[in-house]
Amino acid sequence: MTSLAPELVEPHLTGGFGRPYLYRETCESTQALLDASQPEGAVAVCEEQTGGRGRLGRRWDAPSGSAILSSTLLRPPDGRRIAELALVGGVAAANAVEAALALTAQIKWPNDVLVNRRKVAGVLAEARDGVVVLGIGINVNQTRDELPADAHPSAASLRTTDGVVRERAPVLARLLAELERAYAKWIEGGIDALYVDIGPRDFLRQRRVTLNGLSGIGVGIDRAGRFEVDVAGERHVVESGEVTYER
Ligand code: BTN
């Protein structure tokens, strides 16, 4: 398959995100290629990461040339809650995945994008030196054998979902356009302004969940991007955490 080299991606770009476009065949992590010296909307992409990272210190692995491994530099206004950007990235990834697959994508708070209950994309928001590096990984062309076998939720790629091996460049360009749109809405009106993209996709709503030592029924993502749980009739609002759930 073709690469995500600049000459193949730039013709698909429709907005400001992706300019400049930093591209490497191999890197430790695209998260490490961006810093505060770059402008908002700068994007780093590589074909293979030797130290790709997920949330909570986990690894994020994909065979060379199979996935979208991207990081985008953001400069959110002072005082905004950085954790909300994981949902902003989730909305962008869900929209890009839906456009590629023509299937509904769901968002598992705070940062997973699922199709048919399987995770196809993940988001990692890291703040440093007054900027945020927003990493988004989308599993595109991995075969079943190339996906982690022991992940929760279990992993899928666009290919294992619909059998299609696809060009990654248009999917990446769509992701960046969706991210620019979602981020602009968030700047204007916070998660509330994106709620139309989040509420109907909320995977954990009405599921039996456990997070931060609380077990109950997921009420859902609220209009501030936090997660509400009903524990024996009492509502708890959680700002961050890792959710486990029952089917
Ligand atoms: C998660 O679901 O735990 C977050 C996964 C984030 C993966 C992406 S791939 C591009 C960027 N570089 C990294 O090292 N991680 C993010």
Side-chain angles (χ1 to χ4, degrees), residues 202 204-207 217-221 227-230 235:
D202 189 347
L204 294 172
R205 178 171 290 159
Q206 292 305 316
R207 287 187 198 271
I217 304 294
V219 177
I221 302 167
F227 192 72
E228 286 189 27
V229 197
D230 182 317
R235 289 230 177 153

Side-chain angles (χ1 to χ4, degrees), residues 6 12 48 50 62 76 85 100 102 111 113 134 136 144 206 211 216 242:
H12 294 281
E48 181 178 27
T50 56
L85 287 170
N111 75 319
V113 176
L134 191 70
I136 302 180
R144 198 169 300 277
Q206 292 305 316
L211 80 161
E242 176 73 352

Side-chain angles (χ1 to χ4, degrees), residues 34-40 73-75 128-133:
L34 296 173
D35 61 41
S37 70
Q38 274 122 359
E40 186 159 78
L73 191 103
L74 302 174
R75 292 178 192 281
R128 61 177 95 113
D129 303 328
V131 299
V132 173
V133 181

Side-chain angles (χ1 to χ4, degrees), residues 31-69:
Q31 294 293 95
L33 296 177
L34 296 173
D35 61 41
S37 70
Q38 274 122 359
E40 186 159 78
V43 166
V45 165
C46 69
E47 301 293 342
E48 181 178 27
Q49 299 183 124
T50 56
R53 34 191 206 255
R55 273 181 86 235
L56 308 171
R58 298 191 183 117
R59 291 184 56 83
W60 186 267
D61 293 317
S64 181
S66 66
I68 289 173
L69 309 168

